[in-house]
Amino acid sequence: MHYLLRLFVQRLALGLLTLFVVSLVIFLSIELLPGDVAQQVLGQSATPENLAAFRRELGLDQPAHTRYLSWLGGFLQGDLGNSLISGLPIKDLISERMYNTFFLAGFAAVISVPLAVLLGVIAALYRETFLDKSINVATLTAISVPEFFVGYILVWLFAVELGMFPSIANLSEDASLGDRIYRTFLPALTLTLIVTAHMMRMTRASLINLLALPFIEMAQLKGASQRRLIVIHALPNAIAPIVTVIAINLAYLIVGVVIVEVVFVYPGMGQLLVDSVAKRDFTVVQTACLLFAATYILFNLASDLISIASNPRLLHRK
Amino acid sequence: MTDTQTPLLVMQNLQIEGLSEDRWKPIVKGVNLTLGKGEVLGLIGESGAGKSTIGLGAMGHVRDGCRFSGGTVHFDGIELTGASRETCRDLRSTRIAYVAQSAAASFNPAFKLISQHAEFPVRRGLMQREEAEKDAIDLYRQLQLPNPEEIGFRYPHQVSGGQLQRAMTAMAMACRPDLIIFDEPTTALDVTTQIEVLSAIRNIVEEFGTSAIYITHDLAVVAQMADRIMVLRYGEEVEAADTATMLNDPKEEYTKSLWAVRSFKAAQKAPVAEAQVPVVSLKNVTAQYPGTARPVLNDISMDFHAGRTVAVVGESGSGKSTTARSLMGLLPPVQGEILLNGAPLAPEFRKRSKAELQAVQMIYQMADTALNPKQRIKDIIGRPMTYYRGLRGKQLTQEIRALLADIELEPDQYMNRLPSELSGGQKQRIGIARALAASPKLVICDEVTSALDQLVAEGILRLLDKLQKEHDLAYMFITHDISTVRAIADEVVVMQQGRVVEQGAKEAIFSPPHAPYTDLLLSSVPEMDPAWLDRVLADRAAAQG
């Protein structure tokens, strides 16, 4: 365990370094974006004096490296700064949205991860049969259709035709958990359909790869049933590749759900980010991007650690 | 204790087919076999003889892409070829068990040995988990594993190959089956380890009166283990008889050819003249992988003379191949130097000139993986000719043809083939041709015959000998097989743990007195005499006692 802990600290330090580099990239690419927030807020008729005064007020007249350092410094102290447009603290703006996004992603993950692994195991168990092919066709179809289309189909079916779930996932702040689940069911289902195929196919492929190995034949010759062969003997050896794909998909659930949020009018981070880019609210964009990057790095860190922990050859040295 | 009156296993006209290129082709063509209770039957033959397929067939199992196509297998009265999966499954572990060739690959890397041992005794309701673990420890002790109390609680990668092979035998014994199939259980082991595993297997099989089918391609091994021997070829029985009869009085020509161990022996060469400069020499080479604490090679010195063969022998991990890597400049020495025709060579291959690289070429153990599967034979051989010797066009084609004729492959027939269209022995010939294409001075042969059947291997040795004479080549011949050394070597270097234990002319090394390790190595090579194993074990016990 001592080894894992040391590894965790090492990887975490590396993650922080990555995050620092990412913060630079984010800041620089936003510097390169065309458009000017002062012009945007004050309109075309603003006088040069007004624009200059406005920039001074927001600190935009400072050179880039000063602004970068003050942003990063504030970030490290937990001060995310203020929105350029509304002047509100970004923390307030983001925290609610962040919670919503994590809730939706978590909800989708709770459905999709077990479902994908289960389908992958079933497909491997009944490989090359009708069942396997049906699972493949179904999940591939789901992933091939654009996500907004999947969303609208589900809305049509469950909201319009059956009337079971609301078509709009607008949330009030004090909604109960049950209400939240009820309202976010359709977006969560949409996301599930989008991410399941990838994870399921990786599970299936990793398992089938293992089936050709001598230790699987050995288990078979010891009298293990097909199910035992796959679940007990093969699956523990397939954890690393499966977890890696799961981590990528979970990160996608948090970072890449803009379109689904738009379809269901869901107040998450994706919408906030799109709005902020449109309004040239660069401080919000920067912060949101950095949070996304941090999420990505954390998920990958977790998947690395799980992969290593699942492999006795790495965990228990000779 | 052999009771052949009540057969445990009866195969009648067993036929098994395998799918290749969309057609079912016979692998086993009507084999009859009877195994009594407590009897050990040796199945012997070259690769492709169908030994393993028959062994698995005795468990009612065929590999993917194979099927039973006729005949019957009766185990204790139960017919297995047509039996349901459940019937076969219920017999496995409890009544029939299997010991695979590579224990390292056949233990699940994710679980501790003892969990894998206890899996089926517990699942079949024969024992509680604690009982099964206690029993495992008893079996480990009986099989003379070190630290029997603890070894089971390790993961497979933490245990050596020979120990794993014994742990796998223990696992096969877990439910005290009536029959165990041993599928080449010692083939992947060093000779000194093999002897321990053989004696452990034999003792425990005798102790529990277990019947066994012992599959191997090594006659001397089967002579130690089996009561009766069946010789197989192309999926058919050649002949079968009890061990003594089979060894002393084989009837069939094929059997006799197998029995006539290594008839090939390279002619003895005149000693090297004092003044002759070796083609390549290693002078006190010490090498170490970067970032490791201890060197992998310690103070190695060897001379390679034109027209002569230096055989480097030792077990896996002794540093034989590492010496070759160091010589090639893949692992630059940290001390000592490498000389080519008396002039120092750069330690690292990147800093060597084309002519220096050309002088040393290599032939690999696995011709299968050493040849690019997408290149045709003429390209495989032609490229070094163009690269090192600048041959092109007509001249190149001419040279390729001459070289193919040299390695005894008809040029018109083979020039345009892909490696996949060749047999194992032919692939190795191409590997040799590729090394020769550069016109080297020294050729490193790294276990070039280890993956080949005995008769094919002998052909390769003859070819190498012929080529040596024609081209005045120096060979560095790396092998773990003592009989190959006897056949081909002029000088012998015995290595252990990165050091040279003993080196000198072949006659000197092979005649006593030996260094203690050389003695251990030589005495561990199985002999055809069925009493060999007992004798060696008795000798060793006496020496220790």
Side-chain angles (χ1 to χ4, degrees), chain A residues 185-241:
Chain A
F185 182 75
L186 285 186
L189 190 60
T190 311
L191 289 173
T192 301
L193 288 176
I194 294 163
V195 295
T196 300
H198 199 185
M199 294 189 280
M200 167 267 167
R201 286 171 68 80
M202 186 48 117
T203 307
R204 177 184 182 277
S206 323
L207 288 174
I208 289 179
N209 261 339
L210 285 170
L211 293 186
L213 295 182
F215 68 84
I216 294 294
E217 182 176 59
M218 187 68 210
Q220 213 175 351
L221 292 172
K222 280 165 74 183
S225 62
Q226 275 293 311
R227 193 176 302 173
R228 192 172 171 81
L229 217 55
I230 295 217
V231 179
I232 307 288
H233 290 272
L235 198 56
N237 290 288
I239 288 176

Short mmCIF file of all heavy atoms in Angstrom, two decimals, chain A residues 185-241:
data_model
loop_
_atom_site.label_atom_id
_atom_site.label_comp_id
_atom_site.label_asym_id
_atom_site.label_seq_id
_atom_site.Cartn_x
_atom_site.Cartn_y
_atom_site.Cartn_z
N PHE A 185 -33.78 12.65 -15.90
CA PHE A 185 -33.74 11.28 -16.42
C PHE A 185 -33.46 11.23 -17.92
O PHE A 185 -32.60 10.47 -18.38
CB PHE A 185 -35.04 10.54 -16.10
CG PHE A 185 -35.02 9.12 -16.57
CD1 PHE A 185 -34.29 8.16 -15.87
CD2 PHE A 185 -35.67 8.73 -17.73
CE1 PHE A 185 -34.23 6.85 -16.31
CE2 PHE A 185 -35.62 7.41 -18.18
CZ PHE A 185 -34.90 6.49 -17.47
N LEU A 186 -34.19 12.06 -18.68
CA LEU A 186 -34.00 12.00 -20.14
C LEU A 186 -32.60 12.41 -20.58
O LEU A 186 -31.98 11.72 -21.39
CB LEU A 186 -35.08 12.81 -20.86
CG LEU A 186 -36.46 12.15 -20.88
CD1 LEU A 186 -37.41 12.95 -21.75
CD2 LEU A 186 -36.38 10.71 -21.38
N PRO A 187 -32.05 13.53 -20.09
CA PRO A 187 -30.66 13.83 -20.46
C PRO A 187 -29.69 12.74 -20.03
O PRO A 187 -28.77 12.39 -20.79
CB PRO A 187 -30.35 15.15 -19.76
CG PRO A 187 -31.51 15.47 -18.91
CD PRO A 187 -32.67 14.65 -19.37
N ALA A 188 -29.91 12.17 -18.86
CA ALA A 188 -29.00 11.11 -18.41
C ALA A 188 -29.09 9.91 -19.33
O ALA A 188 -28.07 9.30 -19.68
CB ALA A 188 -29.34 10.70 -16.97
N LEU A 189 -30.30 9.60 -19.76
CA LEU A 189 -30.49 8.46 -20.66
C LEU A 189 -29.80 8.74 -22.01
O LEU A 189 -29.16 7.85 -22.58
CB LEU A 189 -31.98 8.21 -20.86
CG LEU A 189 -32.35 6.91 -21.58
CD1 LEU A 189 -31.84 5.71 -20.81
CD2 LEU A 189 -33.85 6.81 -21.78
N THR A 190 -29.94 9.97 -22.49
CA THR A 190 -29.28 10.34 -23.74
C THR A 190 -27.78 10.13 -23.63
O THR A 190 -27.15 9.52 -24.51
CB THR A 190 -29.55 11.83 -24.05
OG1 THR A 190 -30.93 12.07 -23.92
CG2 THR A 190 -29.08 12.18 -25.44
N LEU A 191 -27.20 10.63 -22.54
CA LEU A 191 -25.76 10.48 -22.35
C LEU A 191 -25.36 9.01 -22.26
O LEU A 191 -24.35 8.58 -22.81
CB LEU A 191 -25.32 11.20 -21.07
CG LEU A 191 -25.36 12.73 -21.17
CD1 LEU A 191 -25.08 13.36 -19.82
CD2 LEU A 191 -24.34 13.21 -22.19
N THR A 192 -26.19 8.23 -21.57
CA THR A 192 -25.91 6.80 -21.44
C THR A 192 -25.80 6.16 -22.82
O THR A 192 -24.87 5.42 -23.11
CB THR A 192 -27.04 6.11 -20.66
OG1 THR A 192 -27.11 6.72 -19.37
CG2 THR A 192 -26.79 4.63 -20.53
N LEU A 193 -26.76 6.49 -23.67
CA LEU A 193 -26.75 5.89 -25.01
C LEU A 193 -25.49 6.28 -25.77
O LEU A 193 -24.97 5.51 -26.56
CB LEU A 193 -27.99 6.34 -25.79
CG LEU A 193 -29.29 5.71 -25.31
CD1 LEU A 193 -30.48 6.27 -26.06
CD2 LEU A 193 -29.23 4.19 -25.49
N ILE A 194 -25.00 7.50 -25.49
CA ILE A 194 -23.83 7.96 -26.24
C ILE A 194 -22.54 7.29 -25.76
O ILE A 194 -21.69 6.94 -26.56
CB ILE A 194 -23.71 9.49 -26.11
CG1 ILE A 194 -24.90 10.14 -26.81
CG2 ILE A 194 -22.40 9.99 -26.71
CD1 ILE A 194 -25.10 11.56 -26.40
N VAL A 195 -22.39 7.09 -24.45
CA VAL A 195 -21.10 6.60 -23.96
C VAL A 195 -21.02 5.08 -23.81
O VAL A 195 -19.93 4.53 -23.66
CB VAL A 195 -20.71 7.25 -22.60
CG1 VAL A 195 -20.48 8.73 -22.78
CG2 VAL A 195 -21.75 6.96 -21.55
N THR A 196 -22.16 4.39 -23.83
CA THR A 196 -22.12 2.95 -23.54
C THR A 196 -21.32 2.15 -24.57
O THR A 196 -20.52 1.29 -24.20
CB THR A 196 -23.56 2.39 -23.44
OG1 THR A 196 -24.22 3.09 -22.39
CG2 THR A 196 -23.55 0.92 -23.12
N ALA A 197 -21.50 2.48 -25.85
CA ALA A 197 -20.91 1.65 -26.90
C ALA A 197 -19.40 1.51 -26.73
O ALA A 197 -18.86 0.40 -26.75
CB ALA A 197 -21.21 2.25 -28.26
N HIS A 198 -18.74 2.63 -26.51
CA HIS A 198 -17.29 2.64 -26.39
C HIS A 198 -16.81 1.72 -25.26
O HIS A 198 -15.95 0.86 -25.44
CB HIS A 198 -16.87 4.09 -26.12
CG HIS A 198 -15.44 4.36 -26.42
ND1 HIS A 198 -14.85 5.56 -26.15
CD2 HIS A 198 -14.47 3.58 -26.91
CE1 HIS A 198 -13.59 5.51 -26.48
NE2 HIS A 198 -13.33 4.32 -26.96
N MET A 199 -17.42 1.90 -24.09
CA MET A 199 -17.01 1.10 -22.91
C MET A 199 -17.35 -0.37 -23.10
O MET A 199 -16.58 -1.26 -22.75
CB MET A 199 -17.70 1.64 -21.66
CG MET A 199 -17.26 3.05 -21.29
SD MET A 199 -17.89 3.57 -19.68
CE MET A 199 -19.55 4.05 -20.08
N MET A 200 -18.53 -0.61 -23.68
CA MET A 200 -18.96 -1.99 -23.86
C MET A 200 -18.04 -2.71 -24.84
O MET A 200 -17.61 -3.85 -24.60
CB MET A 200 -20.41 -1.97 -24.38
CG MET A 200 -20.92 -3.28 -24.90
SD MET A 200 -20.64 -3.31 -26.66
CE MET A 200 -20.90 -4.94 -27.11
N ARG A 201 -17.66 -2.03 -25.92
CA ARG A 201 -16.80 -2.68 -26.91
C ARG A 201 -15.41 -2.95 -26.35
O ARG A 201 -14.78 -3.96 -26.67
CB ARG A 201 -16.74 -1.84 -28.19
CG ARG A 201 -18.04 -1.95 -28.98
CD ARG A 201 -18.07 -0.97 -30.11
NE ARG A 201 -17.10 -1.31 -31.15
CZ ARG A 201 -17.30 -2.24 -32.08
NH1 ARG A 201 -18.40 -2.95 -32.07
NH2 ARG A 201 -16.40 -2.47 -33.00
N MET A 202 -14.93 -2.03 -25.52
CA MET A 202 -13.62 -2.26 -24.92
C MET A 202 -13.67 -3.45 -23.97
O MET A 202 -12.76 -4.28 -23.95
CB MET A 202 -13.16 -0.99 -24.18
CG MET A 202 -11.75 -1.10 -23.66
SD MET A 202 -10.58 -1.71 -24.89
CE MET A 202 -9.50 -0.36 -25.05
N THR A 203 -14.74 -3.54 -23.19
CA THR A 203 -14.90 -4.69 -22.28
C THR A 203 -14.90 -5.99 -23.07
O THR A 203 -14.16 -6.93 -22.76
CB THR A 203 -16.22 -4.57 -21.49
OG1 THR A 203 -16.26 -3.28 -20.88
CG2 THR A 203 -16.33 -5.65 -20.45
N ARG A 204 -15.71 -6.00 -24.12
CA ARG A 204 -15.82 -7.21 -24.93
C ARG A 204 -14.46 -7.57 -25.55
O ARG A 204 -14.00 -8.71 -25.44
CB ARG A 204 -16.85 -6.97 -26.04
CG ARG A 204 -17.02 -8.12 -26.99
CD ARG A 204 -17.99 -7.76 -28.10
NE ARG A 204 -18.19 -8.89 -29.00
CZ ARG A 204 -17.38 -9.19 -30.01
NH1 ARG A 204 -16.30 -8.47 -30.21
NH2 ARG A 204 -17.63 -10.23 -30.79
N ALA A 205 -13.82 -6.58 -26.16
CA ALA A 205 -12.56 -6.86 -26.86
C ALA A 205 -11.48 -7.33 -25.88
O ALA A 205 -10.75 -8.28 -26.15
CB ALA A 205 -12.10 -5.63 -27.62
N SER A 206 -11.38 -6.67 -24.71
CA SER A 206 -10.33 -7.06 -23.76
C SER A 206 -10.57 -8.48 -23.28
O SER A 206 -9.63 -9.26 -23.11
CB SER A 206 -10.29 -6.15 -22.54
OG SER A 206 -10.56 -4.85 -22.88
N LEU A 207 -11.84 -8.80 -23.02
CA LEU A 207 -12.14 -10.15 -22.54
C LEU A 207 -11.81 -11.19 -23.61
O LEU A 207 -11.18 -12.20 -23.33
CB LEU A 207 -13.61 -10.26 -22.14
CG LEU A 207 -13.98 -9.53 -20.84
CD1 LEU A 207 -15.48 -9.58 -20.61
CD2 LEU A 207 -13.25 -10.17 -19.66
N ILE A 208 -12.22 -10.92 -24.83
CA ILE A 208 -12.00 -11.91 -25.89
C ILE A 208 -10.51 -12.09 -26.17
O ILE A 208 -10.05 -13.20 -26.41
CB ILE A 208 -12.80 -11.52 -27.15
CG1 ILE A 208 -14.28 -11.74 -26.86
CG2 ILE A 208 -12.36 -12.35 -28.36
CD1 ILE A 208 -15.21 -11.39 -27.98
N ASN A 209 -9.77 -10.99 -26.07
CA ASN A 209 -8.31 -11.10 -26.20
C ASN A 209 -7.73 -12.06 -25.19
O ASN A 209 -6.83 -12.84 -25.48
CB ASN A 209 -7.67 -9.74 -25.95
CG ASN A 209 -7.34 -9.07 -27.25
OD1 ASN A 209 -7.23 -9.74 -28.27
ND2 ASN A 209 -7.20 -7.77 -27.21
N LEU A 210 -8.24 -11.97 -23.95
CA LEU A 210 -7.70 -12.81 -22.88
C LEU A 210 -8.06 -14.27 -23.07
O LEU A 210 -7.33 -15.16 -22.63
CB LEU A 210 -8.25 -12.34 -21.53
CG LEU A 210 -7.65 -11.05 -20.99
CD1 LEU A 210 -8.44 -10.58 -19.78
CD2 LEU A 210 -6.20 -11.30 -20.58
N LEU A 211 -9.19 -14.52 -23.75
CA LEU A 211 -9.68 -15.91 -23.84
C LEU A 211 -8.71 -16.82 -24.58
O LEU A 211 -8.74 -18.02 -24.42
CB LEU A 211 -11.05 -15.94 -24.53
CG LEU A 211 -12.16 -15.30 -23.73
CD1 LEU A 211 -13.49 -15.50 -24.41
CD2 LEU A 211 -12.22 -15.88 -22.32
N ALA A 212 -7.82 -16.22 -25.39
CA ALA A 212 -6.88 -17.05 -26.14
C ALA A 212 -5.67 -17.43 -25.29
O ALA A 212 -4.83 -18.21 -25.73
CB ALA A 212 -6.42 -16.29 -27.38
N LEU A 213 -5.57 -16.90 -24.07
CA LEU A 213 -4.36 -17.13 -23.28
C LEU A 213 -4.39 -18.47 -22.55
O LEU A 213 -5.45 -18.98 -22.22
CB LEU A 213 -4.19 -15.99 -22.26
CG LEU A 213 -3.94 -14.63 -22.89
CD1 LEU A 213 -3.73 -13.58 -21.83
CD2 LEU A 213 -2.73 -14.68 -23.81
N PRO A 214 -3.19 -19.03 -22.31
CA PRO A 214 -3.14 -20.36 -21.70
C PRO A 214 -3.84 -20.45 -20.34
O PRO A 214 -4.42 -21.48 -20.03
CB PRO A 214 -1.63 -20.61 -21.52
CG PRO A 214 -0.97 -19.73 -22.51
CD PRO A 214 -1.85 -18.54 -22.68
N PHE A 215 -3.81 -19.38 -19.54
CA PHE A 215 -4.41 -19.55 -18.21
C PHE A 215 -5.93 -19.67 -18.28
O PHE A 215 -6.56 -20.22 -17.38
CB PHE A 215 -3.96 -18.47 -17.22
CG PHE A 215 -4.44 -17.08 -17.49
CD1 PHE A 215 -5.69 -16.67 -17.06
CD2 PHE A 215 -3.62 -16.17 -18.12
CE1 PHE A 215 -6.12 -15.38 -17.28
CE2 PHE A 215 -4.03 -14.87 -18.34
CZ PHE A 215 -5.30 -14.48 -17.93
N ILE A 216 -6.52 -19.18 -19.38
CA ILE A 216 -7.96 -19.36 -19.55
C ILE A 216 -8.25 -20.81 -19.95
O ILE A 216 -9.17 -21.44 -19.44
CB ILE A 216 -8.50 -18.37 -20.60
CG1 ILE A 216 -8.36 -16.94 -20.09
CG2 ILE A 216 -9.95 -18.68 -20.95
CD1 ILE A 216 -9.20 -16.62 -18.89
N GLU A 217 -7.42 -21.34 -20.86
CA GLU A 217 -7.59 -22.75 -21.23
C GLU A 217 -7.41 -23.62 -19.99
O GLU A 217 -8.13 -24.58 -19.78
CB GLU A 217 -6.59 -23.15 -22.30
CG GLU A 217 -6.78 -24.59 -22.73
CD GLU A 217 -5.86 -25.02 -23.87
OE1 GLU A 217 -4.63 -24.94 -23.69
OE2 GLU A 217 -6.38 -25.44 -24.91
N MET A 218 -6.44 -23.24 -19.15
CA MET A 218 -6.19 -24.00 -17.92
C MET A 218 -7.45 -24.00 -17.05
O MET A 218 -7.84 -25.05 -16.54
CB MET A 218 -5.02 -23.35 -17.17
CG MET A 218 -4.55 -24.14 -15.97
SD MET A 218 -3.78 -25.69 -16.48
CE MET A 218 -4.18 -26.71 -15.07
N ALA A 219 -8.06 -22.83 -16.88
CA ALA A 219 -9.27 -22.75 -16.05
C ALA A 219 -10.37 -23.63 -16.64
O ALA A 219 -11.10 -24.31 -15.92
CB ALA A 219 -9.74 -21.31 -15.94
N GLN A 220 -10.43 -23.63 -17.97
CA GLN A 220 -11.41 -24.46 -18.65
C GLN A 220 -11.14 -25.94 -18.36
O GLN A 220 -12.05 -26.71 -18.10
CB GLN A 220 -11.26 -24.21 -20.14
CG GLN A 220 -12.53 -24.29 -20.92
CD GLN A 220 -12.27 -23.88 -22.37
OE1 GLN A 220 -11.19 -23.39 -22.72
NE2 GLN A 220 -13.25 -24.10 -23.19
N LEU A 221 -9.86 -26.31 -18.38
CA LEU A 221 -9.50 -27.70 -18.14
C LEU A 221 -9.60 -28.06 -16.66
O LEU A 221 -9.58 -29.23 -16.30
CB LEU A 221 -8.09 -27.98 -18.65
CG LEU A 221 -7.96 -27.92 -20.18
CD1 LEU A 221 -6.53 -28.01 -20.62
CD2 LEU A 221 -8.79 -29.03 -20.82
N LYS A 222 -9.69 -27.05 -15.81
CA LYS A 222 -9.97 -27.33 -14.39
C LYS A 222 -11.46 -27.49 -14.17
O LYS A 222 -11.90 -27.80 -13.08
CB LYS A 222 -9.45 -26.18 -13.51
CG LYS A 222 -7.95 -26.26 -13.25
CD LYS A 222 -7.42 -24.95 -12.69
CE LYS A 222 -7.82 -24.73 -11.24
NZ LYS A 222 -7.34 -23.42 -10.74
N GLY A 223 -12.26 -27.23 -15.23
CA GLY A 223 -13.69 -27.45 -15.12
C GLY A 223 -14.51 -26.20 -14.88
O GLY A 223 -15.65 -26.29 -14.40
N ALA A 224 -13.96 -25.01 -15.19
CA ALA A 224 -14.73 -23.79 -14.99
C ALA A 224 -15.77 -23.65 -16.08
O ALA A 224 -15.54 -23.99 -17.23
CB ALA A 224 -13.79 -22.59 -15.01
N SER A 225 -16.95 -23.15 -15.73
CA SER A 225 -18.00 -22.93 -16.71
C SER A 225 -17.66 -21.68 -17.51
O SER A 225 -16.80 -20.89 -17.11
CB SER A 225 -19.34 -22.73 -16.01
OG SER A 225 -19.26 -21.59 -15.19
N GLN A 226 -18.32 -21.50 -18.64
CA GLN A 226 -18.09 -20.32 -19.48
C GLN A 226 -18.23 -19.03 -18.68
O GLN A 226 -17.42 -18.12 -18.79
CB GLN A 226 -19.10 -20.30 -20.63
CG GLN A 226 -18.67 -21.12 -21.83
CD GLN A 226 -17.44 -20.54 -22.51
OE1 GLN A 226 -17.38 -19.36 -22.81
NE2 GLN A 226 -16.45 -21.37 -22.73
N ARG A 227 -19.28 -18.97 -17.86
CA ARG A 227 -19.54 -17.75 -17.12
C ARG A 227 -18.42 -17.49 -16.12
O ARG A 227 -17.91 -16.39 -16.00
CB ARG A 227 -20.89 -17.88 -16.40
CG ARG A 227 -21.37 -16.57 -15.85
CD ARG A 227 -22.74 -16.73 -15.24
NE ARG A 227 -23.71 -17.26 -16.21
CZ ARG A 227 -24.95 -17.62 -15.87
NH1 ARG A 227 -25.35 -17.53 -14.62
NH2 ARG A 227 -25.77 -18.09 -16.78
N ARG A 228 -18.00 -18.55 -15.44
CA ARG A 228 -16.93 -18.41 -14.46
C ARG A 228 -15.62 -18.01 -15.14
O ARG A 228 -14.86 -17.20 -14.63
CB ARG A 228 -16.76 -19.74 -13.71
CG ARG A 228 -15.89 -19.63 -12.49
CD ARG A 228 -15.86 -20.88 -11.65
NE ARG A 228 -14.83 -20.70 -10.63
CZ ARG A 228 -15.01 -20.02 -9.52
NH1 ARG A 228 -16.18 -19.48 -9.26
NH2 ARG A 228 -14.03 -19.86 -8.66
N LEU A 229 -15.42 -18.59 -16.31
CA LEU A 229 -14.22 -18.31 -17.08
C LEU A 229 -14.10 -16.81 -17.34
O LEU A 229 -13.05 -16.21 -17.17
CB LEU A 229 -14.37 -19.03 -18.42
CG LEU A 229 -13.16 -19.66 -19.07
CD1 LEU A 229 -12.51 -20.62 -18.11
CD2 LEU A 229 -13.61 -20.40 -20.32
N ILE A 230 -15.22 -16.23 -17.77
CA ILE A 230 -15.18 -14.82 -18.16
C ILE A 230 -15.21 -13.90 -16.95
O ILE A 230 -14.39 -12.99 -16.83
CB ILE A 230 -16.37 -14.53 -19.11
CG1 ILE A 230 -16.15 -15.33 -20.37
CG2 ILE A 230 -16.51 -13.04 -19.35
CD1 ILE A 230 -16.53 -14.71 -21.64
N VAL A 231 -16.11 -14.17 -16.03
CA VAL A 231 -16.28 -13.23 -14.92
C VAL A 231 -15.18 -13.36 -13.88
O VAL A 231 -14.62 -12.36 -13.42
CB VAL A 231 -17.67 -13.41 -14.27
CG1 VAL A 231 -17.84 -12.45 -13.11
CG2 VAL A 231 -18.76 -13.19 -15.31
N ILE A 232 -14.83 -14.59 -13.51
CA ILE A 232 -13.85 -14.78 -12.43
C ILE A 232 -12.41 -14.81 -12.97
O ILE A 232 -11.52 -14.24 -12.37
CB ILE A 232 -14.12 -16.09 -11.66
CG1 ILE A 232 -15.57 -16.12 -11.18
CG2 ILE A 232 -13.15 -16.26 -10.50
CD1 ILE A 232 -15.90 -15.19 -10.05
N HIS A 233 -12.19 -15.49 -14.09
CA HIS A 233 -10.81 -15.67 -14.53
C HIS A 233 -10.33 -14.58 -15.49
O HIS A 233 -9.19 -14.17 -15.44
CB HIS A 233 -10.63 -17.05 -15.17
CG HIS A 233 -10.72 -18.17 -14.17
ND1 HIS A 233 -9.63 -18.62 -13.48
CD2 HIS A 233 -11.78 -18.87 -13.70
CE1 HIS A 233 -10.01 -19.59 -12.65
NE2 HIS A 233 -11.31 -19.75 -12.77
N ALA A 234 -11.20 -14.11 -16.39
CA ALA A 234 -10.74 -13.13 -17.37
C ALA A 234 -10.92 -11.69 -16.89
O ALA A 234 -10.00 -10.88 -16.99
CB ALA A 234 -11.46 -13.34 -18.70
N LEU A 235 -12.08 -11.38 -16.34
CA LEU A 235 -12.38 -9.98 -16.02
C LEU A 235 -11.34 -9.30 -15.13
O LEU A 235 -10.94 -8.17 -15.42
CB LEU A 235 -13.79 -9.88 -15.41
CG LEU A 235 -14.43 -8.50 -15.40
CD1 LEU A 235 -14.49 -7.90 -16.79
CD2 LEU A 235 -15.84 -8.56 -14.81
N PRO A 236 -10.87 -9.95 -14.05
CA PRO A 236 -9.87 -9.26 -13.22
C PRO A 236 -8.61 -8.88 -13.98
O PRO A 236 -7.92 -7.94 -13.61
CB PRO A 236 -9.54 -10.28 -12.12
CG PRO A 236 -10.70 -11.19 -12.08
CD PRO A 236 -11.23 -11.26 -13.48
N ASN A 237 -8.33 -9.59 -15.06
CA ASN A 237 -7.14 -9.27 -15.85
C ASN A 237 -7.42 -8.20 -16.90
O ASN A 237 -6.51 -7.76 -17.59
CB ASN A 237 -6.61 -10.53 -16.54
CG ASN A 237 -6.01 -11.49 -15.54
OD1 ASN A 237 -4.94 -11.24 -15.01
ND2 ASN A 237 -6.72 -12.56 -15.24
N ALA A 238 -8.69 -7.84 -17.04
CA ALA A 238 -9.05 -6.87 -18.08
C ALA A 238 -9.36 -5.51 -17.47
O ALA A 238 -9.79 -4.60 -18.17
CB ALA A 238 -10.26 -7.39 -18.87
N ILE A 239 -9.17 -5.39 -16.16
CA ILE A 239 -9.57 -4.14 -15.50
C ILE A 239 -8.85 -2.93 -16.07
O ILE A 239 -9.46 -1.91 -16.35
CB ILE A 239 -9.33 -4.26 -13.97
CG1 ILE A 239 -10.37 -5.20 -13.39
CG2 ILE A 239 -9.41 -2.90 -13.30
CD1 ILE A 239 -10.19 -5.49 -11.93
N ALA A 240 -7.56 -3.06 -16.31
CA ALA A 240 -6.79 -1.88 -16.73
C ALA A 240 -7.34 -1.24 -18.01
O ALA A 240 -7.65 -0.05 -18.01
CB ALA A 240 -5.32 -2.23 -16.86
N PRO A 241 -7.48 -1.99 -19.11
CA PRO A 241 -8.01 -1.34 -20.31
C PRO A 241 -9.43 -0.82 -20.14
O PRO A 241 -9.77 0.24 -20.66
CB PRO A 241 -7.95 -2.43 -21.38
CG PRO A 241 -7.78 -3.70 -20.66
CD PRO A 241 -7.09 -3.39 -19.39
#
